[in-house]
Amino acid sequence: DQPQSQALLRRLWLDPQSFRPRQTSRDITEEAARSFATLAGQLGARGGTPKQVSHFLTQCVFCLFAEDVGLLPERMFERLVNHRGLTSARLTDGLRQLFATMQTGGLYGADDIPWFNGGLFETIDVPPLEAMDVTELRNAAQLNWSAIDVSIFGTLFERGLDPAKRAQLGAHY
């Protein structure tokens, strides 16, 4: 007598493949690694030091994961990078402000941001972003970071980089 339950059971027996996720955890992880490898290459090519680039990317990865598991409010990082009214320079400033708030905890706009311990936000050195960098951040922000397989992310990230430049870009970091 419950149409929704009947439809679910019908689907279970007649179309079990429909329950499979469209993207696997590995697919999402590989896509994230590609976006960050591209971003690392772009920032490094414009003079970002390996330490600066790797630290900035680590901060971004943390933010993406933190918002998808509920540590940051309401998809905050994704909303920031997807804000079409911001220039690249204003997004760079917005990221600096967000990281500074995460360093101590407090208000960022109307949102209350917790203090994140561990020293990740002790140093804030956001490299100047350009349009292509913003595009890669937007691509990465679209992913479901709670599905990222953290055990293979580092390996895939390193594979996505030019082998001759891995140590130079701080991929081992």
Side-chain angles (χ1 to χ4, degrees):
D1 67 351
Q2 297 176 2
Q4 286 181 317
S5 296
Q6 289 175 356
L8 187 62
L9 285 171
R10 191 173 297 112
R11 184 174 151 212
L12 178 66
W13 291 107
L14 299 175
D15 190 14
Q17 294 298 320
S18 69
F19 287 97
R20 287 186 180 248
R22 284 183 226 115
Q23 281 189 307
T24 66
S25 179
R26 183 172 182 87
D27 293 337
I28 295 168
T29 304
E30 287 176 349
E31 195 172 334
R34 275 191 300 276
S35 282
F36 274 88
T38 300
L39 186 54
Q42 290 169 181
L43 294 172
R46 287 199 314 277
T49 66
K51 184 176 180 179
Q52 178 192 32
V53 170
S54 63
H55 191 72
F56 169 68
L57 294 180
T58 301
Q59 289 171 322
C60 290
V61 166
F62 178 83
C63 288
L64 289 163
F65 181 76
E67 74 177 7
D68 278 0
V69 298
L71 296 174
L72 282 177
E74 302 293 323
R75 310 205 55 79
M76 171 180 287
F77 190 86
E78 184 177 348
R79 284 185 291 134
L80 179 61
V81 299
N82 282 327
H83 190 298
R84 301 294 177 173
L86 294 180
T87 63
S88 297
R90 288 195 64 207
L91 176 60
T92 302
D93 288 339
L95 289 171
R96 274 190 201 109
Q97 291 171 17
L98 174 61
F99 294 167
T101 305
M102 293 172 79
Q103 181 183 58
T104 59
L107 285 178
Y108 180 77
D111 295 309
D112 191 19
I113 305 299
W115 168 63
F116 290 93
N117 191 5
L120 180 59
F121 296 99
E122 187 174 308
T123 301
I124 299 167
D125 188 13
V126 179
L129 300 174
E130 293 187 2
M132 292 304 293
D133 306 325
V134 175
T135 298
E136 288 305 326
L137 280 174
R138 285 179 180 153
N139 290 342
Q142 300 296 322
L143 301 172
N144 177 4
W145 282 78
S146 65
I148 297 287
D149 185 349
V150 294
S151 66
I152 63 171
F153 187 72
T155 303
L156 289 172
F157 185 86
E158 285 192 37
R159 282 187 201 153
L161 300 174
D162 179 349
K165 296 182 181 176
R166 285 183 190 159
Q168 184 183 38
L169 289 174
H172 62 284
Y173 170 60

